[in-house]
Amino acid sequence: MNVRRLIPTAALAGAVALGATALTACSGAGATGSKDGKVGVTASFYPLQFLAEQIGKDHVKVDGLTKPGVEPHDLEITPKQTAQLGEADVVLYLKSLQPAVDKAVAQSGVKNIVDAATLTELEVHGAGHDHGAEEAHAEGEGHDHGHGEGEGGKDPHVWLDPVKYAEIAKGVGAALEKADPDHAADYRKNTDELVGKLTALDTEFKDGLKNTASRTFITTHSAFGYLAERYGLDQEGISGVDPESEPSPARMKDLQAVAKKDNVTTVFFETLASDKTAKTLATDTGLTTDVLDPLEGITDTSQGADYFEVMRSNLKNLQKALGAK
């Protein structure tokens, strides 16, 4: 587990104050009154950056705080990035996913701040048995309260459900309309197009996972609770929503039993976190390994160049692992 080295609140405040004067030419978000005339959007991590780019297109200049290859939960904010936040016209973030970002946003003084967690309903998901979420909600079992959770132990990984991601997209579109009313019609048009693509993706997942030999998948990082619930699957996480927590021997033993009982063939790992526990479990149970990407960032090793390509790779990998017919 990495220890976050968060910069003190006083330093954050000082950096924001400096940002208004000393860093007006910051390479991050541009301001409405800047030379290019574009709306400056700062997004905390890739899923929100992608929405801003798709909806804003030529009218916005988007900067992401979490660079490719960085695990977003462990992001450390620099004074320059804090100053950059203070200059943005619109800030997009997901409260409680990245504590360092939460502190910086609180100090930024930006008028148009959008918390994606308020644009859709967040739910509690445990490390296992997410199908329908009945047991987890009723008994409150299996909930890991690690750094990756939202407020009240709620799962923040809403972008992995195309339906919920579309709800967030609508909120982002509305925020851009408010910040730049002159181009409101374009933002509405782009939002509608993106929501249409997400609706089509939802249909692909529904159809592609309708008939499978197994409904259970094992993954190192319990990021897929919304996806599992949406498409009637059971997520069994080696760790909870914290991708770096070490599972107990008892949990590993439980997963071996689950794999046998539910005809599990594959243990999934991801590109931004260690695959050690996945490979250990796979070796102990005679299973194969494959990638299921939580889409917290795009790198050269991602199975696709953007959200839609990686989600379709996830679908293909799930179909193979679950024995889709």
Short mmCIF file of all heavy atoms in Angstrom, two decimals, residues 154-226:
data_model
loop_
_atom_site.label_atom_id
_atom_site.label_comp_id
_atom_site.label_asym_id
_atom_site.label_seq_id
_atom_site.Cartn_x
_atom_site.Cartn_y
_atom_site.Cartn_z
N LYS A 154 -18.89 3.81 -0.41
CA LYS A 154 -19.52 3.54 -1.71
C LYS A 154 -18.47 3.37 -2.81
O LYS A 154 -17.41 3.99 -2.79
CB LYS A 154 -20.50 4.66 -2.06
CG LYS A 154 -21.72 4.68 -1.13
CD LYS A 154 -22.70 5.77 -1.50
CE LYS A 154 -23.91 5.73 -0.57
NZ LYS A 154 -24.88 6.80 -0.90
N ASP A 155 -18.79 2.53 -3.75
CA ASP A 155 -17.90 2.20 -4.86
C ASP A 155 -17.89 3.35 -5.86
O ASP A 155 -18.93 3.73 -6.39
CB ASP A 155 -18.41 0.91 -5.52
CG ASP A 155 -17.55 0.42 -6.66
OD1 ASP A 155 -16.57 1.11 -7.02
OD2 ASP A 155 -17.87 -0.66 -7.21
N PRO A 156 -16.71 3.94 -6.16
CA PRO A 156 -16.68 5.07 -7.08
C PRO A 156 -16.56 4.71 -8.55
O PRO A 156 -16.63 5.58 -9.41
CB PRO A 156 -15.41 5.82 -6.64
CG PRO A 156 -14.49 4.72 -6.19
CD PRO A 156 -15.38 3.67 -5.55
N HIS A 157 -16.42 3.42 -8.89
CA HIS A 157 -16.08 3.03 -10.27
C HIS A 157 -17.29 3.01 -11.22
O HIS A 157 -17.51 2.05 -11.96
CB HIS A 157 -15.41 1.65 -10.27
CG HIS A 157 -14.16 1.60 -9.44
ND1 HIS A 157 -14.18 1.29 -8.09
CD2 HIS A 157 -12.86 1.82 -9.77
CE1 HIS A 157 -12.93 1.32 -7.63
NE2 HIS A 157 -12.11 1.64 -8.62
N VAL A 158 -18.04 4.11 -11.21
CA VAL A 158 -19.31 4.17 -11.95
C VAL A 158 -19.12 4.18 -13.47
O VAL A 158 -20.03 3.81 -14.21
CB VAL A 158 -20.13 5.41 -11.54
CG1 VAL A 158 -20.81 5.18 -10.21
CG2 VAL A 158 -19.25 6.65 -11.47
N TRP A 159 -17.96 4.62 -13.93
CA TRP A 159 -17.75 4.74 -15.38
C TRP A 159 -17.71 3.37 -16.07
O TRP A 159 -17.81 3.30 -17.29
CB TRP A 159 -16.47 5.51 -15.66
CG TRP A 159 -15.23 4.87 -15.09
CD1 TRP A 159 -14.40 3.98 -15.71
CD2 TRP A 159 -14.69 5.05 -13.77
NE1 TRP A 159 -13.38 3.58 -14.87
CE2 TRP A 159 -13.54 4.23 -13.67
CE3 TRP A 159 -15.07 5.83 -12.67
CZ2 TRP A 159 -12.75 4.17 -12.51
CZ3 TRP A 159 -14.30 5.77 -11.52
CH2 TRP A 159 -13.16 4.95 -11.44
N LEU A 160 -17.55 2.29 -15.32
CA LEU A 160 -17.52 0.95 -15.92
C LEU A 160 -18.92 0.42 -16.22
O LEU A 160 -19.06 -0.66 -16.79
CB LEU A 160 -16.74 -0.01 -15.01
CG LEU A 160 -15.24 0.33 -14.94
CD1 LEU A 160 -14.56 -0.40 -13.80
CD2 LEU A 160 -14.55 0.02 -16.26
N ASP A 161 -19.93 1.15 -15.84
CA ASP A 161 -21.32 0.88 -16.23
C ASP A 161 -21.69 1.93 -17.28
O ASP A 161 -21.83 3.11 -16.94
CB ASP A 161 -22.23 0.98 -15.00
CG ASP A 161 -23.70 0.82 -15.32
OD1 ASP A 161 -24.07 0.81 -16.52
OD2 ASP A 161 -24.51 0.73 -14.37
N PRO A 162 -21.85 1.55 -18.55
CA PRO A 162 -22.15 2.53 -19.59
C PRO A 162 -23.39 3.37 -19.32
O PRO A 162 -23.46 4.53 -19.73
CB PRO A 162 -22.34 1.67 -20.85
CG PRO A 162 -21.54 0.43 -20.58
CD PRO A 162 -21.69 0.19 -19.11
N VAL A 163 -24.35 2.80 -18.60
CA VAL A 163 -25.59 3.53 -18.31
C VAL A 163 -25.31 4.67 -17.32
O VAL A 163 -25.74 5.81 -17.51
CB VAL A 163 -26.67 2.59 -17.76
CG1 VAL A 163 -27.94 3.37 -17.38
CG2 VAL A 163 -27.02 1.51 -18.80
N LYS A 164 -24.57 4.35 -16.27
CA LYS A 164 -24.23 5.38 -15.29
C LYS A 164 -23.25 6.40 -15.87
O LYS A 164 -23.31 7.59 -15.56
CB LYS A 164 -23.66 4.73 -14.02
CG LYS A 164 -24.72 4.05 -13.16
CD LYS A 164 -24.17 3.59 -11.84
CE LYS A 164 -25.25 3.10 -10.90
NZ LYS A 164 -26.16 4.17 -10.45
N TYR A 165 -22.35 5.93 -16.70
CA TYR A 165 -21.40 6.83 -17.35
C TYR A 165 -22.13 7.83 -18.24
O TYR A 165 -21.74 9.00 -18.33
CB TYR A 165 -20.41 5.99 -18.16
CG TYR A 165 -19.14 6.69 -18.59
CD1 TYR A 165 -18.42 7.51 -17.72
CD2 TYR A 165 -18.63 6.49 -19.88
CE1 TYR A 165 -17.23 8.11 -18.12
CE2 TYR A 165 -17.43 7.09 -20.29
CZ TYR A 165 -16.74 7.90 -19.41
OH TYR A 165 -15.56 8.50 -19.81
N ALA A 166 -23.20 7.38 -18.88
CA ALA A 166 -24.01 8.27 -19.72
C ALA A 166 -24.68 9.35 -18.87
O ALA A 166 -24.82 10.51 -19.29
CB ALA A 166 -25.06 7.47 -20.49
N GLU A 167 -25.10 9.00 -17.66
CA GLU A 167 -25.70 9.98 -16.75
C GLU A 167 -24.68 11.06 -16.39
O GLU A 167 -25.00 12.26 -16.33
CB GLU A 167 -26.22 9.29 -15.49
CG GLU A 167 -27.41 8.38 -15.75
CD GLU A 167 -27.81 7.56 -14.53
OE1 GLU A 167 -27.10 7.63 -13.49
OE2 GLU A 167 -28.83 6.85 -14.60
N ILE A 168 -23.45 10.62 -16.14
CA ILE A 168 -22.38 11.58 -15.83
C ILE A 168 -22.10 12.47 -17.04
O ILE A 168 -21.87 13.67 -16.92
CB ILE A 168 -21.11 10.83 -15.37
CG1 ILE A 168 -21.39 10.09 -14.06
CG2 ILE A 168 -19.94 11.80 -15.20
CD1 ILE A 168 -20.27 9.18 -13.61
N ALA A 169 -22.10 11.86 -18.22
CA ALA A 169 -21.86 12.62 -19.45
C ALA A 169 -22.86 13.76 -19.59
O ALA A 169 -22.50 14.89 -19.98
CB ALA A 169 -21.94 11.69 -20.67
N LYS A 170 -24.12 13.51 -19.29
CA LYS A 170 -25.14 14.55 -19.39
C LYS A 170 -24.84 15.71 -18.44
O LYS A 170 -25.02 16.88 -18.79
CB LYS A 170 -26.52 13.96 -19.08
CG LYS A 170 -27.02 12.98 -20.13
CD LYS A 170 -28.34 12.33 -19.69
CE LYS A 170 -28.79 11.28 -20.69
NZ LYS A 170 -30.03 10.58 -20.24
N GLY A 171 -24.37 15.37 -17.24
CA GLY A 171 -24.02 16.41 -16.27
C GLY A 171 -22.82 17.23 -16.72
O GLY A 171 -22.78 18.45 -16.51
N VAL A 172 -21.84 16.56 -17.31
CA VAL A 172 -20.66 17.27 -17.83
C VAL A 172 -21.08 18.20 -18.96
O VAL A 172 -20.63 19.35 -19.05
CB VAL A 172 -19.58 16.27 -18.31
CG1 VAL A 172 -18.46 16.99 -19.06
CG2 VAL A 172 -19.01 15.50 -17.11
N GLY A 173 -21.95 17.71 -19.84
CA GLY A 173 -22.44 18.55 -20.93
C GLY A 173 -23.14 19.79 -20.42
O GLY A 173 -22.92 20.90 -20.92
N ALA A 174 -23.96 19.63 -19.38
CA ALA A 174 -24.67 20.77 -18.80
C ALA A 174 -23.70 21.78 -18.20
O ALA A 174 -23.90 23.00 -18.30
CB ALA A 174 -25.65 20.27 -17.73
N ALA A 175 -22.62 21.27 -17.58
CA ALA A 175 -21.62 22.15 -16.98
C ALA A 175 -20.89 22.96 -18.05
O ALA A 175 -20.61 24.16 -17.85
CB ALA A 175 -20.62 21.34 -16.17
N LEU A 176 -20.61 22.35 -19.18
CA LEU A 176 -19.94 23.07 -20.26
C LEU A 176 -20.86 24.12 -20.88
O LEU A 176 -20.42 25.21 -21.26
CB LEU A 176 -19.44 22.09 -21.32
CG LEU A 176 -18.28 21.18 -20.89
CD1 LEU A 176 -17.92 20.19 -21.99
CD2 LEU A 176 -17.06 22.01 -20.50
N GLU A 177 -22.15 23.79 -20.98
CA GLU A 177 -23.12 24.77 -21.48
C GLU A 177 -23.16 25.99 -20.58
O GLU A 177 -23.21 27.14 -21.05
CB GLU A 177 -24.52 24.14 -21.54
CG GLU A 177 -24.73 23.15 -22.67
CD GLU A 177 -26.16 22.65 -22.69
OE1 GLU A 177 -27.09 23.48 -22.53
OE2 GLU A 177 -26.36 21.43 -22.85
N LYS A 178 -23.12 25.75 -19.27
CA LYS A 178 -23.17 26.85 -18.31
C LYS A 178 -21.92 27.71 -18.40
O LYS A 178 -21.99 28.95 -18.33
CB LYS A 178 -23.31 26.27 -16.90
CG LYS A 178 -23.36 27.31 -15.79
CD LYS A 178 -23.45 26.64 -14.43
CE LYS A 178 -23.41 27.68 -13.30
NZ LYS A 178 -23.43 27.02 -11.97
N ALA A 179 -20.76 27.06 -18.58
CA ALA A 179 -19.50 27.79 -18.63
C ALA A 179 -19.32 28.53 -19.95
O ALA A 179 -18.62 29.55 -20.01
CB ALA A 179 -18.33 26.83 -18.41
N ASP A 180 -19.95 28.03 -21.01
CA ASP A 180 -19.75 28.59 -22.35
C ASP A 180 -21.06 28.57 -23.12
O ASP A 180 -21.25 27.81 -24.07
CB ASP A 180 -18.68 27.76 -23.08
CG ASP A 180 -18.36 28.28 -24.47
OD1 ASP A 180 -18.64 29.47 -24.74
OD2 ASP A 180 -17.83 27.50 -25.29
N PRO A 181 -22.02 29.42 -22.70
CA PRO A 181 -23.36 29.39 -23.32
C PRO A 181 -23.37 29.67 -24.82
O PRO A 181 -24.29 29.26 -25.52
CB PRO A 181 -24.13 30.47 -22.54
CG PRO A 181 -23.12 31.26 -21.79
CD PRO A 181 -21.92 30.41 -21.61
N ASP A 182 -22.33 30.35 -25.33
CA ASP A 182 -22.29 30.65 -26.77
C ASP A 182 -22.24 29.39 -27.63
O ASP A 182 -22.65 29.42 -28.79
CB ASP A 182 -21.07 31.53 -27.09
CG ASP A 182 -21.21 32.94 -26.56
OD1 ASP A 182 -22.33 33.31 -26.16
OD2 ASP A 182 -20.19 33.67 -26.52
N HIS A 183 -21.72 28.31 -27.05
CA HIS A 183 -21.61 27.05 -27.81
C HIS A 183 -22.50 25.95 -27.22
O HIS A 183 -22.24 24.76 -27.42
CB HIS A 183 -20.15 26.59 -27.84
CG HIS A 183 -19.23 27.55 -28.53
ND1 HIS A 183 -18.28 28.29 -27.85
CD2 HIS A 183 -19.15 27.93 -29.83
CE1 HIS A 183 -17.63 29.06 -28.71
NE2 HIS A 183 -18.14 28.87 -29.92
N ALA A 184 -23.55 26.36 -26.53
CA ALA A 184 -24.44 25.41 -25.86
C ALA A 184 -25.02 24.37 -26.81
O ALA A 184 -25.10 23.17 -26.49
CB ALA A 184 -25.57 26.15 -25.14
N ALA A 185 -25.39 24.81 -28.01
CA ALA A 185 -25.99 23.88 -28.97
C ALA A 185 -25.01 22.78 -29.36
O ALA A 185 -25.39 21.61 -29.50
CB ALA A 185 -26.46 24.64 -30.21
N ASP A 186 -23.74 23.15 -29.53
CA ASP A 186 -22.73 22.15 -29.87
C ASP A 186 -22.53 21.15 -28.74
O ASP A 186 -22.40 19.94 -28.97
CB ASP A 186 -21.39 22.83 -30.19
CG ASP A 186 -21.42 23.57 -31.52
OD1 ASP A 186 -22.33 23.30 -32.32
OD2 ASP A 186 -20.53 24.41 -31.73
N TYR A 187 -22.51 21.66 -27.50
CA TYR A 187 -22.33 20.76 -26.36
C TYR A 187 -23.50 19.78 -26.24
O TYR A 187 -23.31 18.59 -25.95
CB TYR A 187 -22.18 21.55 -25.06
CG TYR A 187 -20.94 22.43 -25.02
CD1 TYR A 187 -21.01 23.75 -24.60
CD2 TYR A 187 -19.70 21.93 -25.41
CE1 TYR A 187 -19.89 24.57 -24.55
CE2 TYR A 187 -18.56 22.74 -25.37
CZ TYR A 187 -18.66 24.05 -24.94
OH TYR A 187 -17.54 24.85 -24.91
N ARG A 188 -24.71 20.28 -26.50
CA ARG A 188 -25.88 19.39 -26.43
C ARG A 188 -25.81 18.32 -27.51
O ARG A 188 -26.09 17.15 -27.27
CB ARG A 188 -27.17 20.21 -26.58
CG ARG A 188 -27.61 20.87 -25.29
CD ARG A 188 -29.06 21.38 -25.39
NE ARG A 188 -29.18 22.49 -26.33
CZ ARG A 188 -29.02 23.77 -26.00
NH1 ARG A 188 -28.70 24.10 -24.76
NH2 ARG A 188 -29.16 24.71 -26.91
N LYS A 189 -25.43 18.74 -28.71
CA LYS A 189 -25.32 17.79 -29.82
C LYS A 189 -24.26 16.72 -29.52
O LYS A 189 -24.49 15.52 -29.72
CB LYS A 189 -24.95 18.55 -31.10
CG LYS A 189 -24.69 17.67 -32.32
CD LYS A 189 -24.42 18.55 -33.54
CE LYS A 189 -24.02 17.71 -34.76
NZ LYS A 189 -22.66 17.16 -34.62
N ASN A 190 -23.11 17.15 -29.04
CA ASN A 190 -22.03 16.21 -28.74
C ASN A 190 -22.40 15.27 -27.59
O ASN A 190 -22.04 14.09 -27.60
CB ASN A 190 -20.75 16.97 -28.39
CG ASN A 190 -20.22 17.78 -29.57
OD1 ASN A 190 -20.58 17.53 -30.72
ND2 ASN A 190 -19.37 18.76 -29.29
N THR A 191 -23.11 15.82 -26.61
CA THR A 191 -23.56 14.99 -25.48
C THR A 191 -24.53 13.91 -25.97
O THR A 191 -24.42 12.74 -25.59
CB THR A 191 -24.23 15.85 -24.39
OG1 THR A 191 -23.31 16.81 -23.90
CG2 THR A 191 -24.71 14.97 -23.23
N ASP A 192 -25.47 14.31 -26.80
CA ASP A 192 -26.45 13.36 -27.33
C ASP A 192 -25.75 12.25 -28.13
O ASP A 192 -26.12 11.07 -28.02
CB ASP A 192 -27.47 14.07 -28.22
CG ASP A 192 -28.42 14.95 -27.42
OD1 ASP A 192 -28.48 14.78 -26.18
OD2 ASP A 192 -29.10 15.81 -28.03
N GLU A 193 -24.76 12.63 -28.92
CA GLU A 193 -24.02 11.63 -29.71
C GLU A 193 -23.28 10.65 -28.80
O GLU A 193 -23.29 9.44 -29.03
CB GLU A 193 -23.02 12.33 -30.64
CG GLU A 193 -23.66 13.03 -31.83
CD GLU A 193 -22.64 13.72 -32.72
OE1 GLU A 193 -21.42 13.64 -32.40
OE2 GLU A 193 -23.04 14.33 -33.73
N LEU A 194 -22.64 11.17 -27.76
CA LEU A 194 -21.89 10.32 -26.83
C LEU A 194 -22.82 9.39 -26.06
O LEU A 194 -22.53 8.20 -25.91
CB LEU A 194 -21.09 11.19 -25.87
CG LEU A 194 -20.23 10.45 -24.84
CD1 LEU A 194 -19.22 9.52 -25.53
CD2 LEU A 194 -19.50 11.44 -23.93
N VAL A 195 -23.93 9.93 -25.60
CA VAL A 195 -24.92 9.09 -24.88
C VAL A 195 -25.43 7.99 -25.80
O VAL A 195 -25.63 6.84 -25.37
CB VAL A 195 -26.08 9.97 -24.34
CG1 VAL A 195 -27.23 9.09 -23.85
CG2 VAL A 195 -25.58 10.86 -23.21
N GLY A 196 -25.63 8.31 -27.08
CA GLY A 196 -26.06 7.30 -28.05
C GLY A 196 -25.04 6.18 -28.19
O GLY A 196 -25.39 4.99 -28.25
N LYS A 197 -23.76 6.53 -28.21
CA LYS A 197 -22.69 5.52 -28.30
C LYS A 197 -22.64 4.67 -27.04
O LYS A 197 -22.40 3.45 -27.11
CB LYS A 197 -21.35 6.21 -28.52
CG LYS A 197 -21.18 6.85 -29.89
CD LYS A 197 -19.83 7.56 -29.99
CE LYS A 197 -19.65 8.23 -31.33
NZ LYS A 197 -18.36 8.96 -31.42
N LEU A 198 -22.86 5.29 -25.88
CA LEU A 198 -22.85 4.54 -24.62
C LEU A 198 -24.06 3.61 -24.53
O LEU A 198 -23.96 2.50 -23.99
CB LEU A 198 -22.81 5.50 -23.43
CG LEU A 198 -21.48 6.24 -23.24
CD1 LEU A 198 -21.63 7.39 -22.24
CD2 LEU A 198 -20.39 5.27 -22.79
N THR A 199 -25.18 4.06 -25.05
CA THR A 199 -26.38 3.20 -25.09
C THR A 199 -26.12 1.98 -25.97
O THR A 199 -26.51 0.86 -25.63
CB THR A 199 -27.59 4.00 -25.61
OG1 THR A 199 -27.83 5.12 -24.75
CG2 THR A 199 -28.83 3.12 -25.65
N ALA A 200 -25.46 2.19 -27.10
CA ALA A 200 -25.11 1.07 -27.99
C ALA A 200 -24.13 0.12 -27.32
O ALA A 200 -24.24 -1.11 -27.45
CB ALA A 200 -24.51 1.62 -29.29
N LEU A 201 -23.18 0.67 -26.56
CA LEU A 201 -22.22 -0.17 -25.83
C LEU A 201 -22.94 -1.01 -24.77
O LEU A 201 -22.63 -2.20 -24.60
CB LEU A 201 -21.16 0.71 -25.18
CG LEU A 201 -20.04 -0.02 -24.42
CD1 LEU A 201 -19.18 -0.83 -25.37
CD2 LEU A 201 -19.18 0.98 -23.64
N ASP A 202 -23.89 -0.41 -24.09
CA ASP A 202 -24.68 -1.14 -23.10
C ASP A 202 -25.40 -2.31 -23.76
O ASP A 202 -25.42 -3.44 -23.21
CB ASP A 202 -25.70 -0.17 -22.47
CG ASP A 202 -26.69 -0.87 -21.56
OD1 ASP A 202 -26.25 -1.65 -20.68
OD2 ASP A 202 -27.91 -0.64 -21.73
N THR A 203 -25.93 -2.11 -24.93
CA THR A 203 -26.62 -3.19 -25.67
C THR A 203 -25.63 -4.30 -26.04
O THR A 203 -25.96 -5.49 -25.95
CB THR A 203 -27.29 -2.63 -26.93
OG1 THR A 203 -28.26 -1.64 -26.55
CG2 THR A 203 -28.00 -3.73 -27.71
N GLU A 204 -24.43 -3.91 -26.46
CA GLU A 204 -23.40 -4.91 -26.80
C GLU A 204 -23.08 -5.78 -25.59
O GLU A 204 -22.93 -7.01 -25.71
CB GLU A 204 -22.13 -4.21 -27.27
CG GLU A 204 -22.23 -3.59 -28.66
CD GLU A 204 -20.94 -2.89 -29.06
OE1 GLU A 204 -19.85 -3.48 -28.84
OE2 GLU A 204 -21.00 -1.76 -29.58
N PHE A 205 -22.95 -5.19 -24.42
CA PHE A 205 -22.66 -5.95 -23.21
C PHE A 205 -23.84 -6.86 -22.84
O PHE A 205 -23.65 -8.03 -22.47
CB PHE A 205 -22.32 -5.01 -22.05
CG PHE A 205 -20.85 -4.73 -21.90
CD1 PHE A 205 -20.23 -3.78 -22.69
CD2 PHE A 205 -20.08 -5.42 -20.97
CE1 PHE A 205 -18.87 -3.52 -22.58
CE2 PHE A 205 -18.72 -5.17 -20.83
CZ PHE A 205 -18.11 -4.22 -21.63
N LYS A 206 -25.05 -6.32 -22.92
CA LYS A 206 -26.23 -7.13 -22.59
C LYS A 206 -26.32 -8.36 -23.48
O LYS A 206 -26.51 -9.48 -23.01
CB LYS A 206 -27.51 -6.29 -22.76
CG LYS A 206 -27.84 -5.39 -21.60
CD LYS A 206 -29.11 -4.60 -21.91
CE LYS A 206 -29.42 -3.61 -20.80
NZ LYS A 206 -30.53 -2.70 -21.17
N ASP A 207 -26.18 -8.14 -24.78
CA ASP A 207 -26.28 -9.24 -25.73
C ASP A 207 -25.09 -10.20 -25.61
O ASP A 207 -25.25 -11.42 -25.68
CB ASP A 207 -26.35 -8.70 -27.17
CG ASP A 207 -27.63 -7.92 -27.43
OD1 ASP A 207 -28.58 -8.06 -26.62
OD2 ASP A 207 -27.68 -7.18 -28.43
N GLY A 208 -23.91 -9.63 -25.42
CA GLY A 208 -22.70 -10.45 -25.39
C GLY A 208 -22.55 -11.30 -24.15
O GLY A 208 -21.84 -12.32 -24.17
N LEU A 209 -23.22 -10.91 -23.06
CA LEU A 209 -23.09 -11.64 -21.79
C LEU A 209 -24.40 -12.31 -21.38
O LEU A 209 -24.55 -12.76 -20.25
CB LEU A 209 -22.62 -10.69 -20.69
CG LEU A 209 -21.23 -10.06 -20.90
CD1 LEU A 209 -20.97 -8.98 -19.86
CD2 LEU A 209 -20.14 -11.13 -20.86
N LYS A 210 -25.32 -12.38 -22.32
CA LYS A 210 -26.65 -12.95 -22.00
C LYS A 210 -26.57 -14.43 -21.69
O LYS A 210 -27.14 -14.92 -20.71
CB LYS A 210 -27.59 -12.70 -23.18
CG LYS A 210 -29.05 -13.03 -22.90
CD LYS A 210 -29.92 -12.71 -24.10
CE LYS A 210 -29.92 -11.23 -24.43
NZ LYS A 210 -30.80 -10.91 -25.59
N ASN A 211 -25.86 -15.18 -22.53
CA ASN A 211 -25.76 -16.63 -22.36
C ASN A 211 -24.31 -17.04 -22.17
O ASN A 211 -23.53 -17.04 -23.11
CB ASN A 211 -26.35 -17.35 -23.58
CG ASN A 211 -27.82 -17.04 -23.78
OD1 ASN A 211 -28.62 -17.20 -22.87
ND2 ASN A 211 -28.17 -16.55 -24.97
N THR A 212 -23.96 -17.40 -20.95
CA THR A 212 -22.59 -17.81 -20.63
C THR A 212 -22.60 -19.07 -19.78
O THR A 212 -23.58 -19.34 -19.07
CB THR A 212 -21.84 -16.71 -19.87
OG1 THR A 212 -22.57 -16.39 -18.67
CG2 THR A 212 -21.70 -15.45 -20.72
N ALA A 213 -21.52 -19.83 -19.84
CA ALA A 213 -21.42 -21.07 -19.06
C ALA A 213 -21.28 -20.77 -17.57
O ALA A 213 -21.72 -21.54 -16.72
CB ALA A 213 -20.23 -21.89 -19.56
N SER A 214 -20.65 -19.65 -17.24
CA SER A 214 -20.48 -19.23 -15.85
C SER A 214 -20.89 -17.77 -15.73
O SER A 214 -20.85 -17.02 -16.71
CB SER A 214 -19.01 -19.40 -15.41
OG SER A 214 -18.82 -18.89 -14.10
N ARG A 215 -21.32 -17.37 -14.54
CA ARG A 215 -21.66 -15.97 -14.30
C ARG A 215 -20.67 -15.31 -13.34
O ARG A 215 -20.84 -14.15 -12.97
CB ARG A 215 -23.07 -15.85 -13.68
CG ARG A 215 -24.19 -16.51 -14.46
CD ARG A 215 -24.29 -16.02 -15.88
NE ARG A 215 -24.79 -14.65 -15.99
CZ ARG A 215 -24.84 -13.98 -17.14
NH1 ARG A 215 -24.40 -14.54 -18.27
NH2 ARG A 215 -25.31 -12.74 -17.18
N THR A 216 -19.62 -16.04 -12.96
CA THR A 216 -18.68 -15.55 -11.95
C THR A 216 -17.32 -15.24 -12.55
O THR A 216 -16.80 -16.03 -13.33
CB THR A 216 -18.49 -16.59 -10.82
OG1 THR A 216 -19.76 -16.87 -10.23
CG2 THR A 216 -17.55 -16.08 -9.75
N PHE A 217 -16.77 -14.09 -12.20
CA PHE A 217 -15.40 -13.78 -12.61
C PHE A 217 -14.59 -13.32 -11.40
O PHE A 217 -15.13 -12.69 -10.48
CB PHE A 217 -15.36 -12.74 -13.74
CG PHE A 217 -15.88 -11.37 -13.39
CD1 PHE A 217 -15.01 -10.36 -12.99
CD2 PHE A 217 -17.24 -11.08 -13.49
CE1 PHE A 217 -15.49 -9.09 -12.69
CE2 PHE A 217 -17.73 -9.82 -13.19
CZ PHE A 217 -16.84 -8.81 -12.79
N ILE A 218 -13.31 -13.65 -11.40
CA ILE A 218 -12.40 -13.28 -10.32
C ILE A 218 -11.45 -12.21 -10.84
O ILE A 218 -10.89 -12.34 -11.92
CB ILE A 218 -11.60 -14.50 -9.81
CG1 ILE A 218 -12.54 -15.53 -9.19
CG2 ILE A 218 -10.54 -14.08 -8.80
CD1 ILE A 218 -11.85 -16.82 -8.77
N THR A 219 -11.28 -11.15 -10.05
CA THR A 219 -10.39 -10.06 -10.46
C THR A 219 -9.60 -9.56 -9.26
O THR A 219 -10.07 -9.65 -8.12
CB THR A 219 -11.19 -8.90 -11.08
OG1 THR A 219 -10.31 -7.85 -11.44
CG2 THR A 219 -12.24 -8.38 -10.13
N THR A 220 -8.39 -9.06 -9.50
CA THR A 220 -7.56 -8.58 -8.40
C THR A 220 -8.18 -7.37 -7.72
O THR A 220 -8.14 -7.24 -6.51
CB THR A 220 -6.16 -8.18 -8.90
OG1 THR A 220 -6.29 -7.30 -10.02
CG2 THR A 220 -5.37 -9.39 -9.34
N HIS A 221 -8.79 -6.49 -8.48
CA HIS A 221 -9.27 -5.20 -8.01
C HIS A 221 -10.78 -5.17 -8.14
O HIS A 221 -11.30 -5.29 -9.25
CB HIS A 221 -8.59 -4.13 -8.88
CG HIS A 221 -8.98 -2.71 -8.57
ND1 HIS A 221 -8.69 -1.68 -9.46
CD2 HIS A 221 -9.60 -2.14 -7.53
CE1 HIS A 221 -9.13 -0.55 -8.95
NE2 HIS A 221 -9.69 -0.79 -7.78
N SER A 222 -11.49 -5.02 -7.06
CA SER A 222 -12.95 -5.07 -7.09
C SER A 222 -13.54 -3.77 -7.65
O SER A 222 -14.28 -3.05 -6.97
CB SER A 222 -13.50 -5.33 -5.68
OG SER A 222 -13.09 -6.58 -5.22
N ALA A 223 -13.21 -3.49 -8.90
CA ALA A 223 -13.67 -2.26 -9.54
C ALA A 223 -14.91 -2.47 -10.39
O ALA A 223 -15.45 -1.51 -10.93
CB ALA A 223 -12.55 -1.69 -10.42
N PHE A 224 -15.35 -3.72 -10.51
CA PHE A 224 -16.36 -4.03 -11.52
C PHE A 224 -17.73 -4.35 -10.93
O PHE A 224 -18.52 -5.07 -11.53
CB PHE A 224 -15.86 -5.20 -12.40
CG PHE A 224 -14.55 -4.88 -13.08
CD1 PHE A 224 -13.35 -5.19 -12.48
CD2 PHE A 224 -14.54 -4.23 -14.30
CE1 PHE A 224 -12.14 -4.88 -13.09
CE2 PHE A 224 -13.34 -3.90 -14.92
CZ PHE A 224 -12.14 -4.22 -14.31
N GLY A 225 -18.01 -3.80 -9.75
CA GLY A 225 -19.29 -4.05 -9.11
C GLY A 225 -20.48 -3.52 -9.91
O GLY A 225 -21.51 -4.19 -10.04
N TYR A 226 -20.34 -2.33 -10.47
CA TYR A 226 -21.44 -1.76 -11.27
C TYR A 226 -21.64 -2.56 -12.56
O TYR A 226 -22.77 -2.83 -12.97
CB TYR A 226 -21.15 -0.30 -11.62
CG TYR A 226 -21.18 0.63 -10.43
CD1 TYR A 226 -20.00 1.08 -9.86
CD2 TYR A 226 -22.38 1.05 -9.86
CE1 TYR A 226 -20.01 1.93 -8.76
CE2 TYR A 226 -22.41 1.89 -8.77
CZ TYR A 226 -21.21 2.33 -8.22
OH TYR A 226 -21.22 3.16 -7.13
#
